[in-house]
């Protein structure tokens, strides 16, 4: 039986909980405002760089998360969609329909939306970068305010901005 662990990272916005297996990688990331249903025992995260990268990200620095992910509980289509979402560059967006076309499922925008809603590792797989065809944000697991905040945070890295990095999301 696979052993899972959890690690909590304090941010100015609240705690982020990472659940992981040492063998396969991070399997869940819970942003502040969402709680793991039954968190596994706490243990120090084996990828110490991930902690600092998450802190850097929330300070508004460009970060590309390259850490092992355990997506073994997902189906083939979900893994294809999430793999495509991993390719979206920092600060860029793609529509649900574009992602559907990239994975060979034209007309599958809603199916992509359902995969995004179940993304077990938001931030590490940047589902917040997937938006509606008209550019509006669409949904997000912990609320549209978070999605808008993450998009603005990334966009602020690409231009001079008076972006307020204060903890406005709860």
């Amino acid at each position: 039986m696979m052993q899972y662990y959890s690690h909590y990272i304090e941010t100015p916005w609240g705690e982020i909980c990472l659940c992981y297996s040492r063998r396969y990688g991070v399997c869940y990331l819970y942003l502040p405002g969402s709680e793991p249903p039954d968190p596994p025992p706490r243990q120090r995260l084996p990828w110490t760089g991930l902690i600092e990268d998450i802190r850097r990200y929330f300070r508004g620095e460009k970060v590309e998360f390259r850490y092992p992910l355990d997506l073994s509980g997902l189906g083939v289509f979900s893994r294809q969609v999430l793999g495509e979402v991993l390719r979206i560059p920092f600060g860029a967006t793609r529509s649900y329909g574009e992602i559907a076309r990239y994975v060979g499922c034209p007309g599958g925008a809603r199916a992509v939306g359902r995969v995004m809603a179940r993304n077990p590792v938001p931030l590490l797989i940047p589902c917040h970068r997937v938006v509606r065809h008209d550019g509006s944000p669409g949904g997000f697991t912990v609320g549209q305010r978070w999605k808008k905040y993450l998009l603005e945070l990334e966009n602020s890295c690409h231009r001079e901005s008076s972006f307020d990095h204060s903890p406005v999301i709860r």
Side-chain angles (χ1 to χ4, degrees), residues 15-36:
E15 279 188 330
I16 291 176
C17 176
L18 293 162
C19 297
Y20 65 94
S21 69
R22 288 189 174 278
R23 184 172 179 189
Y24 296 113
V26 179
C27 52
Y28 292 99
L29 183 147
Y30 296 92
L31 291 168
S34 64
E35 293 293 324

Side-chain angles (χ1 to χ4, degrees), residues 44-135:
R44 188 158 188 75
L45 194 64
W47 310 281
T48 55
L50 178 54
I51 298 166
E52 183 54 30
D53 281 350
I54 288 173
R55 289 184 177 134
R56 287 180 44 234
Y57 179 88
F58 282 110
R59 286 194 303 261
E61 297 178 36
K62 182 179 177 180
V63 174
E64 291 187 29
F65 297 106
R66 301 284 186 222
Y67 296 92
L69 301 174
D70 178 1
L71 303 178
S72 61
L74 301 177
V76 173
F77 180 73
S78 293
R79 288 195 307 269
Q80 286 177 324
V81 167
L82 294 175
E84 190 60 43
V85 171
L86 274 170
R87 298 169 47 117
I88 303 172
F90 184 94
T93 59
R94 301 288 183 272
S95 74
Y96 295 99
E98 286 176 301
I99 298 297
R101 283 190 301 279
Y102 294 153
V103 299
C105 186
R110 287 178 190 239
V112 168
R114 285 190 294 277
V115 172
M116 296 298 95
R118 291 186 198 87
N119 177 5
V121 285
L123 201 62
L124 303 183
I125 297 179
C127 57
H128 61 277
R129 296 178 190 157
V130 182
V131 298
R132 292 182 176 151
H133 72 280
D134 64 1

